[in-house]
Amino acid sequence: MRPIQARISLGALAHNLRIARNHAGRARIFAVVKANAYGHGLSRARRALASADGFAVLTLEEAANLRLMGVQQPILLLEGLFGADEIATCSELDLWPVLHHAAQLDWLQRLPPARPIQVFLKFDSGMHRLGFPLEEHASIVKRVRNLPGVAGVTLMTHFAQADEAVGVDWQLQPFLREMAEHALPWSSANSAALLRYPEAQGTWVRPGLMLYGASPFAEVSAEELELRPVMTLQSEIISVQTLKAGEAVGYGQLYRADHAMRVGVVACGYADGYPQNAPTGTPIVVNGRLTRTIGRVSMDMLTVDLDGCADAGVGAPVVLWGEGLPVDSVAAAARTSSYELLCALAARVSVQETD
Ligand SMILES: *Cc1c(COP(=O)(O)O)cnc(C)c1O
């Protein structure tokens, strides 16, 4: 069997939820499990995060799956209704859609569900992606509160730069100022805001990334945030080559040896979810030792520098990211994000659950 495997630690997920809880104060926590729980598997995330106050997903299908799995907590649909036909299911399964544009209000007006639903009403406080303009809050809130199909309203916004130095104030303060008169529950914080801005907590927080043990901040490690890696992508060396000085390795012959060196071939490639644009020098752990990738990542393999890993031969264990090598470091080297790496884990990689 091909030796690549993703080990997923349920204990680490539960631990990271406790860290979120420590930051959340009295706010309730929606564990964000969209995109197959950021690549970790919806069902196992649900089990490990069973003590969350709610779950947040993207689609009706994910939400319905969570209900089938026995989830009793509130389920938030982060992009709300994609069509009027989804209203009845929201009502039947008690799903809470985010309402962020006028067509969704029209659908609800036209087809009010028999059992009224809880909704999150999203305002655009500066991200300019989803949400009603903040200036229109008076009329929008009034309209939504008066819709016969709506049982309750929570106000919501989303931050564009919670992970950066500029932070959330430029969005949070106008949002809170305009929303104050409505005296309704509210929600704003993703992982970065939850970790850094207690004033952004509100009624519900919505952490995703931190639950999976990655850091939203470029300059603060997951370890410093007391988060534990959940996914460890591991494989083995399946071949060892010896390059003479002047010889190069792999497609494009991108890495050329300037001295005789041993090269390990690892059973992991971009078809497994490893980023193809990870350049020479991307950190990787072989036999417990930190080394680097060299040359271009291929579909099913990548190559590593075995200088300094004299004891590593065929069968030597390799950690691509996870325990012993933060996914954030690999993401930084590959000029992508840990979000993208985790979500991109390919279906062909077998998964092993651990405690
Ligand atoms: C994905 C998402 C989150 C979670 O963000 P993280 O940065 O992963 O914590 C929170 N809120 C909304 C609206 C989202 O779409």
Side-chain angles (χ1 to χ4, degrees):
M1 203 171 78
R2 207 165 158 255
I4 188 169
Q5 193 176 56
R7 271 193 297 119
I8 300 210
S9 164
L10 302 193
L13 266 170
H15 166 86
N16 295 336
L17 178 61
R18 285 194 292 277
I19 300 294
R21 186 75 75 190
N22 292 344
H23 286 270
R26 287 163 53 203
R28 282 179 283 169
I29 299 179
F30 274 120
V32 179
V33 293
K34 61 187 173 187
N36 197 30
Y38 291 47
H40 294 71
L42 183 63
S43 163
R44 70 176 63 85
R46 194 283 303 173
R47 275 182 281 128
L49 302 171
S51 66
D53 304 296
F55 292 91
V57 295
L58 200 63
T59 67
L60 209 60
E61 191 188 3
E62 293 167 310
N65 275 334
L66 285 174
R67 285 285 180 249
L68 279 176
M69 293 170 199
V71 167
Q72 308 266 330
Q73 295 99 317
I75 297 179
L76 182 67
L77 295 169
L78 287 163
E79 289 178 14
L81 307 166
F82 294 101
D85 56 326
E86 298 190 341
I87 294 171
T89 311
C90 284
S91 173
E92 279 156 32
L93 299 181
D94 187 22
L95 313 178
W96 302 4
V98 170
L99 304 179
H100 58 82
H101 70 73
Q104 294 171 324
L105 307 192
D106 297 340
W107 298 334
L108 268 170
Q109 191 145 22
R110 205 154 33 81
L111 296 165
R115 191 173 64 166
I117 56 176
Q118 291 287 335
V119 300
F120 272 47
L121 184 56
K122 187 169 190 175
F123 286 95
D124 172 23
S125 56
M127 178 131 172
H128 300 313
R129 196 178 56 177
L130 295 185
F132 294 97
L134 215 44
E135 308 84 79
E136 293 173 23
H137 70 94
S139 61
I140 301 282
V141 173
K142 184 161 172 237
R143 180 175 174 201
V144 172
R145 288 182 100 163
N146 288 326
L147 286 174
V150 168
V153 178
T154 299
L155 304 168
M156 172 183 175
T157 196
H158 192 54
F159 299 125
Q161 294 177 296
D163 55 330
E164 296 175 29
V166 31
V168 302
D169 237 40
W170 65 278
Q171 290 184 263
L172 181 63
Q173 295 316 326
F175 174 75
L176 291 181
R177 200 164 50 239
E178 302 298 334
M179 296 298 135
E181 68 183 73
H182 303 297
L184 286 169
W186 58 280
S187 172
S188 72
N190 58 2
S191 297
L194 173 58
L195 289 164
R196 207 167 253 183
Y197 303 104
E199 67 274 23
Q201 282 162 10
T203 319
W204 284 95
V205 294
R206 312 186 303 266
L209 187 71
M210 68 175 291
L211 301 178
Y212 307 101
S215 169
F217 309 112
E219 75 289 4
V220 186
S221 70
E223 191 178 3
E224 288 170 295
L225 297 167
E226 297 182 76
L227 300 171
R228 282 170 48 191
V230 176
M231 179 195 297
T232 298
L233 182 60
Q234 62 185 37
S235 188
E236 289 176 8
I237 302 279
I238 58 166
S239 171
V240 175
Q241 297 285 329
T242 306
L243 295 185
K244 299 191 185 84
E247 288 181 332
V249 64
Y251 289 120
Q253 298 278 278
L254 288 192
Y255 179 82
R256 197 166 293 279
D258 61 5
H259 61 284
M261 68 181 288
R262 288 170 75 240
V263 173
V265 180
V266 180
C268 175
Y270 60 79
D272 299 303
Y274 196 88
Q276 187 177 25
N277 57 347
T280 290
T282 301
I284 187 165
V285 169
V286 177
N287 247 358
R289 260 196 217 99
L290 184 64
T291 178
R292 57 175 187 149
T293 66
I294 55 176
R296 184 177 293 162
V297 173
S298 2
M299 185 182 288
D300 313 310
M301 287 174 269
L302 57 82
T303 40
V304 298
D305 184 346
L306 291 183
D307 274 2
C309 305
D311 51 349
V314 168
V318 175
V319 172
L320 288 308
W321 63 65
E323 274 168 38
L325 177 59
V327 65
D328 297 316
S329 318
V330 178
R335 296 180 187 282
T336 178
S337 65
S338 40
Y339 294 88
E340 189 175 13
L341 295 188
L342 296 173
C343 289
L345 181 75
R348 80 178 193 183
V349 177
S350 67
V351 171
Q352 193 204 342
E353 273 175 27
T354 64
D355 291 342

